[in-house]
Amino acid sequence: MSRSPVPAPTDPDEFAALCRSSPWRWDTLRFVLSWLTPGDQAPREPVRAWVRRPSELRVETLDGVPLYTASTLERSRDDFYVASTSSSWLLAPSLVAPVFTDSGLVERRPEAAYGDPVFGGGRWQAILDPVELAGSAPVPPYLPERRPCTVEEVGVGVHHGRAVRGAVVTPGSAYAPTTPGHPLAPARTRVLLDERTAVCVRSEVLEGPLAGTGHDLRIEAVDDYFIDDLFTSVRLDLTDVSRHLPWPVGP
């Protein structure tokens, strides 16, 4: 039996599948995030972040000043914990299996506890997991009005030295931002997705009152080992094993 040919990376359906794939393509990420602003507005300071799924985050200025840490390392649920909703007991995406395309991207996402730790809200969540551009599953061709976005001008390229897949997306009536009020594509928008991680590494609004706004993300490390102390609010006071440790002995 012959296998179906793998779709080209310029296929809009393959771009949509890449939009759904982030939860299964990386566990840890270090990156620098900058926000694009129109020329008449002061630029916002970029930040460097470390993310360890499902819930650890550290954010610093580029000079190394800590801004935010989030961790569940010290949290627990005792025997009397009762969930208010069934979603509290959903499994992490890494523990459930999606339906994959022939090229290894995600065609249909299962029910799971989606969501990454965020800093400052806004489009942060959609940048790390841009599923809002495609929806959790394909839409039948005879129901185009149910597609979150129209995908056009799909192509491949390089961004900050990494392979990317880009497209121009136009939101439709079914578009639902991950964070209400903070869409990744508020109007016709050019976006770039990192091939390895499916993270949206760049967006730029092309039309409307928000034209020229967006973000730029430079990935520095994928699936590196991050120590637990990185995500705690205490000072990182690790032992330097290259230094002699005195061992005083009493009389």
Side-chain angles (χ1 to χ4, degrees), residues 19-236:
C19 290
R20 303 184 190 104
S21 298
S22 175
W24 294 274
R25 295 183 79 83
W26 58 275
D27 293 314
T28 69
L29 196 68
R30 186 178 79 241
F31 58 87
V32 172
L33 177 61
S34 305
W35 298 101
L36 306 183
T37 55
D40 58 347
Q41 296 183 15
R44 295 167 59 182
E45 292 295 325
V47 296
R48 174 171 283 110
W50 292 254
V51 177
R52 183 171 66 181
R53 283 173 162 165
S55 54
E56 275 71 55
L57 171 66
R58 181 180 183 86
V59 182
E60 295 181 351
T61 68
L62 297 189
D63 295 331
V65 178
L67 298 175
Y68 180 76
T69 57
S71 174
T72 58
L73 297 173
E74 299 176 356
R75 302 177 190 172
S76 64
R77 294 176 175 175
D78 61 21
D79 294 339
F80 296 100
Y81 176 82
V82 178
S84 59
T85 65
S86 60
S87 62
S88 301
W89 300 103
L90 290 175
L91 295 174
S94 60
L95 300 178
V96 294
V99 177
F100 290 103
T101 66
D102 290 338
S103 59
L105 301 176
V106 174
E107 183 173 15
R108 187 178 300 272
R109 287 167 59 134
E111 188 176 12
Y114 296 107
D116 293 304
V118 300
F119 171 70
R123 299 185 299 273
W124 183 284
Q125 178 63 62
I127 289 171
L128 297 180
D129 183 10
V131 65
E132 68 182 50
L133 302 178
S136 297
V139 172
Y142 52 85
L143 295 173
E145 68 278 3
R146 294 189 181 180
R147 294 174 184 166
C149 293
T150 300
V151 179
E152 303 172 303
E153 302 180 27
V154 182
V156 296
V158 176
H159 182 68
H160 292 306
R162 296 178 60 88
V164 295
R165 196 176 310 197
V168 174
V169 298
T170 304
S173 59
Y175 180 55
T178 301
T179 304
H182 298 277
L184 186 59
R188 193 166 182 265
T189 303
R190 184 176 300 279
V191 295
L192 298 179
L193 269 59
D194 182 67
E195 287 276 7
R196 165 68 175 81
T197 63
V199 168
C200 183
V201 293
R202 187 175 176 87
S203 69
E204 183 177 358
V205 181
L206 303 178
E207 298 176 351
L210 296 177
T213 63
H215 78 279
D216 186 90
L217 185 148
R218 174 166 53 87
I219 293 177
E220 297 183 327
V222 180
D223 286 343
D224 277 9
Y225 174 76
F226 295 159
I227 61 173
D228 290 348
D229 283 354
L230 189 64
F231 304 103
T232 60
S233 57
V234 299
R235 182 172 61 92
L236 299 180

